[in-house]
């Protein structure tokens, strides 16, 4: 008890030290977390109506709100000043000025490092890495500097205001270096949060939550859906909780777990399986670490079967972690081996991308095989 | 403005040469002479910690015409690639080299195929300069079996081992340390060969470049770092991304030379000089002042961060092909019509190559699992209709 109180005290001190205007934004959110995350989510929007927008527009709205609501927030990355290659940052520089929204040189290690430093001084650094495939020069900074900053300084310092946004995944013709899904690398790093939205509504709420979360977050955006996915999104400010999975369809025969762009594929497989009389429970994990084991466990306890699907290669993918954890928790209730339908263990190919991808038919087959095990 | 005026004047100006073929005089063939010819580079070299080479370059009529032909072919090939991409026959990402042709051609003229070249993803023309086959280039662009990387690399990943072309790399700046590694091996081999390690002004700010450069200088590796400065790293102007856009000085303790990269003869002179320099003294940086007419990649129209006037101005004043055309005409090595005919022929050659490349089939499906390791991956397929596939690691 005494140590706990001391730790809390320490935390408060360091916040005070870092807190230029400690009552605003980040420090307040830090004090209230994790409850603070759900704070504004009621009603799905802080006033104003909803409007059908695509995913990049939803991200753009979230960034506008983030910059609007916290004067200590900054957006930067390669070509961000012009609106970014996917138009996610359109209009930000005009509205908030070049001091808060700006281009960086082509230097991912620098982008990450500067973002960590900025965040360590109590700011919200929203950095963009243009493609997730380019994130590896920044890997050292993210893994060794950002993730462990709080821990190794005994909570003296942290870079909780850090959010790194990066488009990930296939686009149909991206080839080797514009298609990869590197989420599992980051899921191996305690201290980071990894968040992946599946749709515009989710993207806006989760991104705002990630930006305001008092921990460094790597936020991967499904680039395939930037223009493709359109849905009603509240125009106001709202957040969706991190580390909380969402059950999208209730079902009784098998649990399907995925995230990001893969949800759309899983959903189609669900519909087709329903035609064959198989009832699937579909879960969007939303946050990969720390992930919502309870929701998945509860579902698998009910259905007795689990299928995980992701675009990244199967070996060492995050699906393996889910399979292992759920097997541990639900061993007695599992009626079939956990199925994984994932990318193949090859580099992301230029030709034959559909072969590589965990497509609907592959999932449908695995659903049938698992249900009929 | 000047461009439109010229265009308006052009039909009248073109009339006399069109009448010329009736004269006997015009029938003399395009010069194939190898008599030496000296030409002054357009601009002086700007040196850093080194005595620059002389501005007078020796060349021959044959070489000048070859330069013209090679560059015109590259220009045409890139414009054709642009159309193929828009027709969705080229997928993936595609970065075009038009405007920068003089760098590839001039460099190639100064070195041998035993010397190595490595570059980033703007690689089509460097492949062609190294003697790459036009059909293989287009087949690769379209992901076909007969491509130079067997259809598995695509636009960004051209390679040609027999000409020591190490390709074709996707991540900005990541090829620079690798290129220094090739020079490292060359130093052990003691064959008098060198590596030309190309990168752009955008990549010039990547940390790994400086790490590699330090090691290369420390161990006196025969590597020439060639900064193709086309002035925009994707959509960011050099001066917005670099504290010092004088890239030839960025090596600090490493000598450098700034070269007019739109002047093929200056490039040739500089590369010849650099090769001799690095074999003796270790690395040097050559900054090639050049320009890309297209956007960064096909998804960039290339007009949001620079003006159309700027592009038109460069075409007007500095175009590498036009410069050589002018040289050929002033030295009377061919007529304007002959050069035009040559360009027409090139156009045909490119079209034929594309037609041929289109006939090439897609790679065999088994290629998806080949070359991941030395022993190819296996493939397991199961489920209804064998729809579930899984790679089996060796």
């Amino acid at each position: 008890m005494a140590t706990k109180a001391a730790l809390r005290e320490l935390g408060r001190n360091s916040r005070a030290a870092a807190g230029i205007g400690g009552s605003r934004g980040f420090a307040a959110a830090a004090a209230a977390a994790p409850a603070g995350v759900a704070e504004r989510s009621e009603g799905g929007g802080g006033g104003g109506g909803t409007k059908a927008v695509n995913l990049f527009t939803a991200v753009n709205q979230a960034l506008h709100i983030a910059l609007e609501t916290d004067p200590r927030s900054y957006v930067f990355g390669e070509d961000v000043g012009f609106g970014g290659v996917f138009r996610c940052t359109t209009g930000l520089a005009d509205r908030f000025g070049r001091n808060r929204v700006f281009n960086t040189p082509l230097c991912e290690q620098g982008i990450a490092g500067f973002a960590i430093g900025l965040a360590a001084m109590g700011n919200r650094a929203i950095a963009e890495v243009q493609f997730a495939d380019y994130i590896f020069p920044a890997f050292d900074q993210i893994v060794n500097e950002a993730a462990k900053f709080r821990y190794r300084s005994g909570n003296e310092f942290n870079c909780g205001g850090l959010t790194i946004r990066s488009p990930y995944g296939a686009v149909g013709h991206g080839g080797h270096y514009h298609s990869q899904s590197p989420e599992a690398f980051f899921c191996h790093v305690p201290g980071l949060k990894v968040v992946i939205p599946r749709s515009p509504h989710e993207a806006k709420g989760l991104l705002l939550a990630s930006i305001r979360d008092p921990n460094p977050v790597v936020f991967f955006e499904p680039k395939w859906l930037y223009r493709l996915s359109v849905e009603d999104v509240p125009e106001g400010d709202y957040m969706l909780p991190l580390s909380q999975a969402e059950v999208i369809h209730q079902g009784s025969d098998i649990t399907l777990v995925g995230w990001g762009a893969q949800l759309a594929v899983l959903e189609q497989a669900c519909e087709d399986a329903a035609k064959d009389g198989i009832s699937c429970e579909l879960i969007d994990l939303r946050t990969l670490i720390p992930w919502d084991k309870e929701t998945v466990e509860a579902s698998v306890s009910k259905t007795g079967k689990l299928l995980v699907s992701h675009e990244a290669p199967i070996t060492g993918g995050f699906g393996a972690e889910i399979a292992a954890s759920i097997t541990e928790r639900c061993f007695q209730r599992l009626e079939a081996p956990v199925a994984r339908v994932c990318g193949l263990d090859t580099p992301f190919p230029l030709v034959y991308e559909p072969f590589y991808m965990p497509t609907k038919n592959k999932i449908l087959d695995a659903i049938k095989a698992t249900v009929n095990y | 403005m000047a461009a439109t005026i010229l265009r308006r004047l052009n039909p009248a100006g073109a009339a006399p040469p069109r009448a010329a073929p009736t004269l006997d005089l015009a029938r003399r063939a395009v010069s194939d002479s190898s008599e030496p010819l000296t030409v002054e580079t357009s601009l002086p070299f700007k040196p850093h910690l080194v005595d620059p080479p002389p501005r007078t370059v020796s060349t021959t009529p044959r070489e000048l015409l070859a330069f013209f032909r090679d560059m015109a072919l590259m220009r045409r090939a890139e414009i054709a690639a642009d159309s193929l991409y828009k027709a969705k026959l080229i997928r993936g990402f595609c970065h075009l080299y038009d405007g920068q042709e003089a760098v590839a051609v001039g460099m190639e003229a100064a070195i041998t195929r035993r010397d190595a070249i490595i570059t980033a993803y703007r690689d089509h023309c460097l492949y062609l300069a190294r003697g790459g086959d036009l059909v293989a280039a287009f087949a690769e662009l379209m992901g076909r079996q007969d491509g130079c990387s067997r259809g598995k690399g695509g636009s960004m990943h051209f390679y040609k081992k027999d000409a020591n072309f190490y390709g074709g790399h996707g991540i900005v700046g990541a090829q620079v340390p690798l290129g220094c590694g090739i020079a490292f091996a060359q130093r052990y081999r003691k064959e008098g060969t060198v590596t030309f390690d190309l990168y752009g002004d955008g990549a010039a700010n990547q940390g790994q470049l400086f790490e590699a450069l330090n090691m290369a200088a420390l161990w006196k590796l025969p590597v020439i770092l060639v900064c193709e400065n086309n002035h925009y790293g994707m959509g960011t102007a050099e001066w917005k991304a670099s504290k010092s856009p004088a890239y030839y000085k960025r090596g600090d303790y490493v000598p450098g030379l700034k070269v007019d990269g739109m002047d093929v003869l200056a490039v040739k002179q500089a590369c010849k000089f650099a090769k001799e320099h690095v074999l003796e003294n270790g690395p040097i940086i050559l900054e090639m002042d050049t320009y890309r007419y297209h956007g960064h990649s096909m998804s960039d129209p290339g007009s949001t961060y620079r003006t159309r006037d700027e592009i038109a101005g460069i075409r007007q004043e500095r175009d590498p092909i036009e410069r050589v055309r002018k040289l050929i005409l002033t030295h009377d090595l061919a007529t304007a019509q002959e050069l035009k005919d040559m360009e027409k022929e090139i156009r045909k050659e490119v079209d034929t190559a594309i037609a041929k490349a289109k006939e090439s089939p897609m790679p065999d499906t088994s290629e998806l699992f080949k070359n991941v390791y030395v022993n190819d991956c296996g493939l397991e397929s199961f489920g209804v209709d064998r729809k579930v596939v899984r790679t089996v690691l060796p």
Side-chain angles (χ1 to χ4, degrees):
Chain A
M1 264 333 267
T3 45
K4 223 179 207 176
L7 279 173
R8 215 173 298 136
E9 193 53 45
L10 238 176
R12 210 163 292 143
N13 288 342
S14 67
R15 269 198 300 280
I20 315 152
S23 65
R24 270 199 318 246
F26 171 51
V37 168
E39 192 170 61
R40 299 193 209 183
S41 65
E42 274 85 36
T50 64
K51 206 173 168 187
V53 298
N54 61 20
L55 201 145
F56 80 68
T57 310
V59 169
N60 186 256
Q61 286 181 4
L63 294 174
H64 268 100
I65 291 168
L67 288 166
E68 184 84 14
T69 52
D70 187 350
R72 289 172 304 145
S73 49
Y74 301 84
V75 171
F76 54 96
E78 292 159 15
D79 293 326
V80 158
F82 311 112
V85 291
F86 292 106
R87 316 310 303 154
C88 290
T89 51
T90 307
L92 292 175
D94 292 340
R95 173 94 179 271
F96 300 101
R98 298 266 168 207
N99 285 331
R100 294 181 65 202
V101 181
F102 50 90
N103 289 335
T104 65
L106 308 189
C107 182
E108 291 77 15
Q109 187 170 21
I111 294 171
F114 278 57
I116 297 165
L118 201 58
M121 294 290 281
N123 302 294
R124 269 183 232 285
I126 308 162
E128 176 180 307
V129 172
Q130 197 161 60
F131 281 87
D133 311 66
Y134 306 169
I135 209 166
F136 298 104
F139 199 53
D140 179 51
Q141 284 290 328
I142 298 170
V143 172
N144 285 328
E145 301 306 324
K148 303 164 176 57
F149 204 7
R150 190 187 298 274
Y151 187 83
R152 68 168 186 265
S153 68
N155 208 24
E156 197 67 18
F157 287 105
N158 70 78
C159 57
L162 172 70
T163 305
I164 294 178
R165 296 177 41 245
S166 192
Y168 86 99
V171 274
H173 59 100
H176 311 280
Y177 294 109
H178 297 89
S179 307
Q180 297 176 79
S181 302
E183 71 272 8
F185 292 108
F186 298 93
C187 291
H188 203 55
V189 187
L192 289 183
K193 290 192 176 183
V194 175
V195 179
I196 307 182
R198 69 166 186 276
S199 70
H201 178 269
E202 293 283 307
K204 185 173 175 183
L206 288 172
L207 181 54
L208 279 167
S210 298
I211 290 168
R212 290 164 179 163
D213 188 89
N215 298 289
V217 178
V218 181
F219 190 86
F220 288 118
E221 296 164 7
K223 65 169 123 24
W224 201 326
L225 304 185
Y226 271 138
R227 285 165 197 275
L228 215 60
S229 177
V230 177
E231 71 180 359
D232 284 338
V233 175
E235 282 178 319
D237 186 350
Y238 67 96
M239 289 190 278
L240 296 170
L242 302 187
S243 290
Q244 222 176 83
E246 185 187 351
V247 179
I248 296 175
H249 292 310
Q250 303 273 354
S252 53
D253 295 331
I254 183 170
T255 302
L256 311 183
V257 175
W259 49 86
Q262 197 55 16
L263 254 291
V265 184
L266 284 167
E267 207 152 1
Q268 288 171 4
C270 263
E271 284 166 19
D272 282 15
K275 289 175 195 155
D276 289 333
I278 300 170
S279 158
C280 303
E281 180 143 313
L282 181 58
I283 298 179
D284 179 2
L285 209 53
R286 307 205 281 189
T287 301
L288 270 66
I289 47 160
W291 62 289
D292 183 356
K293 290 186 184 121
E294 288 67 31
T295 299
V296 180
E297 183 187 350
S299 173
V300 175
S301 295
K302 184 174 73 177
T303 61
K305 287 142 211 140
L306 173 65
L307 180 149
V308 191
S309 183
H310 55 69
E311 272 180 36
I314 188 166
T315 301
F318 197 63
E321 175 58 34
I322 298 173
S325 297
I326 293 302
T327 306
E328 240 167 42
R329 290 175 170 230
C330 307
F331 186 67
Q332 304 272 7
R333 292 173 199 270
L334 275 173
E335 294 162 20
V338 177
R340 285 183 292 157
V341 184
C342 307
L344 301 178
D345 285 325
T346 68
F348 197 99
L350 176 73
V351 286
Y352 299 126
E353 178 176 319
F355 288 15
Y356 169 92
M357 295 288 282
T359 51
K360 183 192 74 178
N361 283 344
K362 289 186 193 176
I363 294 167
L364 198 56
D365 263 24
I367 289 174
K368 288 176 185 166
T370 306
V371 169
N372 299 324
Y373 183 76
Chain B
M1 237 357 238
T4 53
I5 290 166
L6 249 185
R7 228 171 280 134
R8 242 178 280 138
L9 284 177
N10 223 9
R18 214 174 285 153
T22 52
L23 301 171
D24 269 5
L25 237 174
R27 233 179 267 147
R28 70 115 181 73
V30 171
S31 176
D32 188 32
S33 154
S34 48
E35 267 171 58
L37 190 70
T38 52
V39 179
E40 184 131 318
T41 64
S42 53
L43 295 168
F45 298 105
K46 276 194 201 163
H48 169 65
L49 304 181
V50 70
D51 289 327
R55 281 180 70 179
T56 43
V57 188
S58 75
T59 177
T60 65
R62 183 188 290 171
E63 187 179 61
L64 280 178
L65 278 149
F67 284 167
F68 180 81
R69 200 183 177 286
D70 289 350
M71 290 197 289
L73 181 79
M74 290 173 180
R75 177 74 53 91
R76 185 65 216 158
E78 290 297 60
I79 286 163
D82 178 281
S83 318
L84 288 172
Y85 191 91
K86 285 171 181 156
K88 296 202 168 178
L89 280 158
I90 297 174
R91 309 313 308 270
F93 282 65
C94 187
H95 308 79
L96 303 179
Y97 200 72
D98 52 326
Q100 303 183 203
E101 296 94 342
V103 178
V105 171
M107 185 167 62
E108 194 60 40
I111 61 176
T112 76
R113 297 262 156 87
R114 290 175 60 237
D115 296 312
I117 295 181
I118 183 169
T119 185
Y121 37 78
R122 205 177 299 283
D123 60 351
H124 312 163
C125 293
L126 285 151
Y127 168 78
L128 293 177
R130 295 254 87 180
D133 174 47
L134 207 51
V135 179
F138 281 112
E140 190 57 45
L141 282 170
M142 294 189 280
R144 310 299 175 95
Q145 224 171 62
D146 297 331
C148 50
S149 307
R150 295 178 188 78
K152 293 175 80 168
S155 164
M156 306 204 297
H157 310 286
F158 280 29
Y159 299 90
K160 189 166 170 53
K161 196 177 178 191
D162 58 12
N164 285 299
F165 179 50
Y166 284 83
H169 296 261
I171 299 296
V172 170
Q175 77 281 6
V176 176
L178 205 169
C180 291
I182 292 165
F184 191 40
Q186 283 169 332
R187 192 160 142 76
Y188 277 105
R189 286 192 181 173
K190 297 194 175 92
E191 291 170 347
T193 54
V194 303
T195 297
F196 284 76
D197 200 348
L198 278 68
Y199 59 98
D201 49 302
N205 298 314
Q206 285 278 2
Q208 48 187 334
L209 190 141
F210 296 93
E211 297 174 31
L213 189 57
N214 175 55
M215 288 165 74
L218 193 64
W219 297 334
K220 278 195 171 183
L221 303 185
V223 63
I224 298 105
L225 266 68
V226 183
C227 176
E228 286 186 281
N229 181 5
N230 61 26
H231 305 282
Y232 296 92
M234 296 197 270
T236 304
E238 53 175 348
W239 55 271
K240 286 182 181 169
S242 299
K243 178 66 186 166
S244 161
Y247 297 104
Y248 67 109
K249 290 182 183 169
R250 292 279 290 270
D252 184 11
Y253 44 84
V254 174
L257 196 64
K258 183 168 179 172
V259 183
D260 180 1
M262 304 296 263
D263 179 351
V264 65
L265 290 168
V267 174
K268 179 185 137 186
Q269 183 85 332
C271 290
K272 200 168 144 240
F273 166 80
K275 181 175 171 177
E276 283 160 18
H277 175 93
V278 298
L279 283 170
E280 197 75 6
N281 312 296
I284 188 170
I285 296 177
L286 292 184
E287 178 188 345
M288 302 288 183
D289 180 355
T290 183
Y291 200 82
R292 66 167 148 77
Y293 294 143
H294 266 91
H296 166 74
S297 72
M298 297 305 300
S299 50
D300 166 23
S303 51
T304 49
Y305 47 85
R306 54 184 189 180
T307 61
R308 290 194 190 280
D309 284 352
E310 177 185 307
I311 305 168
I314 302 268
R315 278 189 193 275
Q316 187 72 17
E317 307 285 329
R318 297 184 58 206
D319 187 88
I321 301 177
E322 294 313 310
R323 188 191 298 269
V324 174
R325 192 197 303 271
K326 221 181 278 167
L327 267 177
I328 290 171
L329 294 179
T330 48
H331 286 87
D332 198 26
L333 309 176
T335 64
Q337 188 57 43
E338 280 163 343
L339 294 182
K340 268 188 188 159
D341 290 345
M342 200 189 270
E343 285 175 299
K344 251 186 228 162
E345 232 163 79
I346 284 167
R347 188 186 277 251
K348 231 184 267 167
E349 193 182 333
V350 169
D351 290 346
T352 316
I354 293 171
K356 226 172 171 184
K358 279 182 184 167
E359 281 169 24
S360 172
M362 297 272 287
D364 191 76
T365 46
S366 65
E367 284 292 325
L368 182 53
F369 307 95
K370 271 191 188 154
N371 316 123
V372 181
Y373 296 99
V374 163
N375 302 316
D376 297 337
C377 296
L379 172 67
E380 235 174 41
S381 82
F382 49 90
V384 188
D385 298 339
R386 318 303 285 168
K387 271 180 285 196
V388 179
V389 283
R390 181 177 289 171
T391 342
V392 183
L393 301 181

